[in-house]
Amino acid sequence: MARGPLPLPVSLDPTAPTPLHAQLREGLRVAILDRRLPRGARLPSSRVMATDLGCARGTVVLALEQLIAEGYLTARSGSATRVAAMLPDDTLPQIQVAQPTGTALPSLSRRGGRFVAAPGRRFMAGPGVPDAFALGRPALDAFPYDVWARLLQAEWRHGPAERPDPRGSPALRAAIAAYLAQVRGVACEAEDVIVTAGIRQSLRLLAELLLDPGEIALVEEPGFPGIAQALASAGLRPVPIPVGPGGLAVAEAGPLLQGARLAVVTPAHHYPLGHAMSLENRLDLLAWAETASGWIVEDDYDGAYRYAGRPLAPLRTLDRGGRVIYVGSFSKLLLPALGLSYLVLPRSLVAPVNQALAEIGPAPPGIGQWALARFIEDGHLAGHLRRTRRLYALRQETLVEAARRHAADVVRIAPMDGGMHLIARPGSAWPDTLGDAEAVAQLGRAGISAVALSAYHVGAPEPGLLLGYAAVQERAIEPAVRRMAEILRAVR
């Protein structure tokens, strides 16, 4: 008598941040390697598995297809899916790797030495970093994984198979242009949009194309050090310009402007202080670019997340001379692992940038672009922004209130009009001898993530802690604040 399918030794957690298809794929793989699903074992049909696990059939199909591609499962038309007789792990050679015994330090360039000589500058949350209060991490619990999995599955089945376009998928570029016109008021065409693998790649491309080595680029002080590093790696000389309550003010920069032809700014929501650039400073910056035949890179960081009134209009909407290059990213809006950003070019730069990309590339990651285009076109991005805007406003309010109740003596946390983080400045009971970098280290040892505000300053540092709240569920905020306060009070 034929042996029937084995029951699945796998369970799914819909509340976990890991997508259901990834949970199922990993659960099956581990069960196969642990021999709970023996070689040759027959699996239930995808419909039966979906019913038993309480998930969509597409989720099951996506997990099974990946395991088949990896060699853990086999499937033939008209036949059941089975565990492979020979697993991919069986074919791995058993190699004895000799451990190096030398202690010689690597020989680094001067530029490499500058990069590694900046301790504590961890700005984006990576694997294993606690949610409270990691920077750069969106609310993964609010992301529509089922929708995304369905679109990715469709892309794998029917998406374009040609070599990736170095400018990005035409469908995605068209979707970005339509989205920006509707949501951010940026008038552009698909041909003006370039998809990149991140803002650093975008800045290096623009720096190499627009300026010569040694020329000056203006950056905000304080500001995200990755911007200055990207410009320096392209051979430019970043010059920090102090940022006040009205944002970067070129009228007050004086001799620092001499010779500069590029400025990188965050006018909608300055990072990290949260200031919005005033209309006067915006017009002054545009006038400087016209006079200097310069360029402005507008990083619309957190521009969509404003909780008091409508989001501020981008600087590009005021540009009449074609001097503003608009930059955006999907990593903080959707998923950090997506790794896709975009440029919106003035029409005069479209042809030279396209030619440069054809020569030097590289193309951004191809997989996911078609799915992202559909995600935008079908309205899922706009809906996700509406939901997370309300959610982040609630989580910011919860953090401010928890700090007022439990930590007012050690930190002062004021609300911001937008963004995904707040700044905790030293309170009256903050130990006099405690620097913010040491406070970050102390908190990290207790499982609480923070970033020192002083790390964003080139000149005289301003102490404080940057606390990301977007990824922290409301019920977890108050306990984390209490723990943070206990740690800071205990420092001697």
Side-chain angles (χ1 to χ4, degrees):
M1 184 171 62
R3 184 179 180 183
L6 293 179
L8 289 179
V10 178
S11 61
L12 303 181
D13 181 4
T15 66
T18 305
L20 294 180
H21 70 86
Q23 293 183 40
L24 178 56
R25 179 259 177 197
E26 183 61 15
L28 290 174
R29 190 185 73 85
V30 171
I32 291 170
L33 294 177
D34 290 348
R35 301 293 196 269
R36 286 176 288 146
L37 284 176
R39 303 180 191 217
R42 175 185 164 197
L43 269 61
S45 71
S46 59
R47 294 186 185 278
V48 171
M49 290 174 66
T51 300
D52 291 345
L53 294 170
C55 65
R57 181 168 176 258
T59 299
V60 175
V61 171
L62 190 61
L64 296 181
E65 287 182 343
Q66 186 170 355
L67 288 169
I68 292 170
E70 293 172 352
Y72 290 96
L73 300 177
T74 60
R76 292 190 298 273
S77 178
S79 178
T81 301
R82 296 181 179 274
V83 177
M86 176 172 286
L87 302 180
D89 306 70
D90 298 335
T91 64
L92 296 176
Q94 301 301 312
I95 301 174
Q96 297 295 324
V97 180
Q99 295 296 322
T101 58
T103 58
L105 296 175
S107 177
L108 301 178
S109 66
R110 287 191 296 272
R111 179 172 58 191
R114 288 195 301 271
F115 291 158
V116 301
R121 288 188 173 180
R122 183 183 63 197
F123 302 99
M124 289 293 292
V129 176
D131 288 339
F133 293 99
L135 286 185
R137 180 179 289 171
L140 299 181
D141 59 311
F143 185 73
Y145 287 104
D146 287 347
V147 171
W148 184 245
R150 174 170 53 80
L151 294 174
L152 277 179
Q153 178 186 353
E155 179 173 5
W156 277 104
R157 287 178 175 272
H158 308 297
E162 65 268 13
R163 189 177 183 86
D165 188 325
R167 300 169 299 173
S169 156
L172 178 55
R173 291 160 57 209
I176 291 172
Y179 158 79
L180 290 176
Q182 178 183 2
V183 176
R184 299 296 287 131
V186 174
C188 60
E189 304 292 337
E191 66 185 55
D192 304 328
V193 178
I194 302 294
V195 179
T196 70
I199 187 171
R200 299 191 195 212
Q201 181 194 358
S202 301
L203 289 174
R204 285 194 295 268
L205 170 67
L206 295 172
E208 293 174 2
L209 186 66
L210 301 177
L211 276 72
D212 291 318
E215 286 199 82
I216 292 173
L218 307 179
V219 296
E220 295 171 323
E221 163 68 9
F224 179 54
I227 290 176
Q229 291 171 359
L231 296 172
S233 69
L236 302 187
R237 183 157 62 91
V239 172
I241 305 296
V243 171
L248 185 146
V250 295
E252 301 175 9
L256 294 175
L257 297 178
Q258 188 171 358
R261 288 201 306 113
L262 179 69
V264 184
V265 294
T266 53
H269 187 258
H270 171 260
Y271 190 81
L273 299 182
H275 302 315
M277 185 179 287
S278 67
L279 177 60
E280 181 182 6
N281 285 343
R282 291 174 182 232
L283 296 176
D284 285 345
L285 184 61
L286 290 169
W288 163 81
E290 287 278 3
T291 302
S293 297
W295 303 95
I296 301 167
V297 176
E298 177 182 15
D299 181 4
D300 197 24
Y301 180 84
D302 284 350
Y305 287 120
R306 183 173 174 83
Y307 313 127
R310 293 179 56 82
L312 299 178
L315 177 66
R316 182 182 166 102
T317 60
L318 299 174
D319 181 25
R320 298 295 179 264
R323 292 291 171 180
V324 176
I325 303 161
Y326 182 89
V327 179
S329 172
F330 294 106
S331 297
K332 296 182 183 67
L333 292 181
L334 300 175
L335 294 172
L338 194 55
L340 290 176
S341 296
Y342 55 88
L343 299 170
V344 181
L345 302 169
R347 190 55 54 87
S348 63
L349 288 181
V350 170
V353 169
N354 286 346
Q355 187 171 352
L357 285 171
E359 294 293 328
I360 62 176
I367 297 300
Q369 291 194 41
W370 185 91
L372 180 55
R374 287 294 306 274
F375 190 86
I376 298 171
E377 291 167 358
D378 293 349
H380 299 301
L381 176 59
H384 182 67
L385 282 177
R386 287 192 297 270
R387 290 190 300 272
T388 51
R389 193 177 290 124
R390 292 192 297 268
L391 179 63
Y392 293 173
L394 173 61
R395 291 180 175 178
Q396 183 190 117
E397 181 182 354
T398 304
L399 175 55
V400 171
E401 180 60 22
R404 185 190 65 80
R405 288 200 307 268
H406 303 292
D409 57 330
V410 284
V411 292
R412 296 177 291 107
I413 300 181
M416 290 187 185
D417 288 339
M420 297 166 63
H421 76 273
L422 292 175
I423 300 176
R425 291 182 166 85
S428 59
W430 180 289
D432 293 336
T433 59
L434 181 63
D436 58 2
E438 176 57 26
V440 167
Q442 295 274 4
L443 293 171
R445 285 190 283 270
I448 295 178
S449 180
V451 172
L453 178 58
S454 62
Y456 290 79
H457 288 261
V458 175
E462 177 186 2
L465 303 175
L466 268 63
L467 306 177
Y469 55 80
V472 194
Q473 295 185 15
E474 296 89 287
R475 65 177 181 271
I477 291 177
E478 188 165 348
V481 168
R482 286 201 303 264
R483 180 64 177 145
M484 178 180 67
E486 292 169 0
I487 293 165
L488 295 177
R489 291 189 191 106
V491 174
R492 294 291 181 265

